[in-house]
Amino acid sequence: MCVAQVLTAHLLPPWQALGSLCSPWAAPRVGPLPQAPAMVRISKPKTFQAYLDDCHRRYSCAHCRAHLANHDDLISKSFQGSQGRAYLFNSVVNVGCGPAEERVLLTGLHAVADIHCENCKTTLGWKYAFESSQKYKEGKYIIELNHMIKDNGWD
């Protein structure tokens, strides 16, 4: 067995690797050697698109710590998401918005669009697209509590 076969034997399935290394009757390999796995590339860490002011209490993504909203933009804490309690915010940062669709929520049929963290792509909640019966919700954002953490300035 050649040196290249010994070095690449760990890339073969166990029955082939053991057979080719341990058996004196094993036939020599014919054909090209398997490709070595590509090296893992370490890239520089992603940065947020927007940073919120350090002197204010803020909420961040629980998965990647990207800034999401200032406490001053919190409208209500009395919402229910699909995975538990949720907060209604006037504005948020570092989120992407999916396509709008009609969805039945606890308060009826609403036009909403899912929102996700731009940094880690975790779905955080939704944005109210058009709301005729409850105008105060229109253009506002719901973020579920289990997807955000309190960050900076909390006692």
Side-chain angles (χ1 to χ4, degrees):
M1 181 179 295
C2 70
V3 173
Q5 287 175 319
V6 171
L7 293 175
T8 60
H10 70 281
L11 300 174
L12 300 174
W15 62 89
Q16 288 180 353
L18 288 175
S20 62
L21 290 175
C22 301
S23 174
W25 300 283
R29 277 186 77 105
V30 178
L33 294 173
Q35 292 289 331
M39 296 298 290
V40 176
R41 293 183 184 162
I42 299 174
S43 60
K44 64 181 181 178
K46 294 181 180 180
T47 57
F48 311 145
Q49 292 178 4
Y51 287 87
L52 297 175
D53 193 8
D54 282 340
C55 65
H56 289 94
R57 294 181 294 176
R58 64 176 172 250
Y59 298 93
S60 298
C61 176
H63 309 283
C64 69
R65 302 289 294 243
H67 298 173
L68 295 176
N70 276 325
H71 182 67
D72 297 340
D73 289 318
L74 178 65
I75 298 170
S76 175
K77 295 181 179 182
S78 61
F79 280 79
Q80 187 69 26
S82 62
Q83 299 176 5
R85 291 183 54 210
Y87 288 180
L88 178 68
F89 289 95
N90 192 38
S91 65
V92 295
V93 296
N94 298 319
V95 298
C97 195
E101 63 184 22
E102 288 191 344
R103 192 177 302 162
V104 177
L105 303 174
L106 291 176
T107 55
L109 184 65
H110 299 279
V112 298
D114 285 336
I115 59 171
H116 62 273
C117 176
E118 278 291 330
N119 195 40
C120 68
K121 306 302 183 205
T122 300
T123 300
L124 302 169
W126 63 89
K127 175 183 179 179
Y128 286 98
F130 173 74
E131 195 56 50
S132 59
S133 64
Q134 297 172 329
K135 206 68 169 163
Y136 79 98
K137 292 181 183 176
E138 190 173 317
K140 305 301 189 271
Y141 300 86
I142 293 286
I143 300 179
E144 296 182 359
L145 245 49
N146 63 340
H147 294 299
M148 66 179 173
I149 57 173
K150 293 178 177 180
D151 201 9
N152 194 48
W154 297 89
D155 293 326

